[in-house]
Amino acid sequence: MSTTVESLSERSAAEVNEEIRALWFRSGGTLSVEQRAEYQRLVLEWAAAAPQKANAA
């Protein structure tokens, strides 16, 4: 399974953030190896979904 940003689902950053929060809540604050892998995938998905700010320089 590819974990490139292009292959991730097209959910909003808010939806992905909610899933990240739920993962941390379920884990009690300590992630297992499997949960860490899921967290990394979710962070990549969140970053891809987050609005990009233009440079104002």
Side-chain angles (χ1 to χ4, degrees):
M1 178 174 111
S2 176
T3 58
T4 62
V5 173
E6 294 79 19
S7 69
L8 300 173
S9 68
E10 294 186 18
R11 298 186 291 171
S12 72
E15 289 173 310
V16 179
N17 189 40
E18 187 61 32
E19 190 171 341
I20 291 169
R21 289 174 182 263
L23 174 64
W24 278 106
F25 181 77
R26 285 191 315 269
S27 74
T30 304
L31 299 176
S32 68
V33 173
E34 294 82 13
Q35 289 169 322
R36 277 188 224 132
E38 181 181 1
Y39 175 75
Q40 290 174 347
R41 179 190 60 79
L42 288 168
V43 168
L44 287 174
E45 184 178 354
W46 175 84
Q52 301 299 314
K53 294 183 180 184
N55 289 335

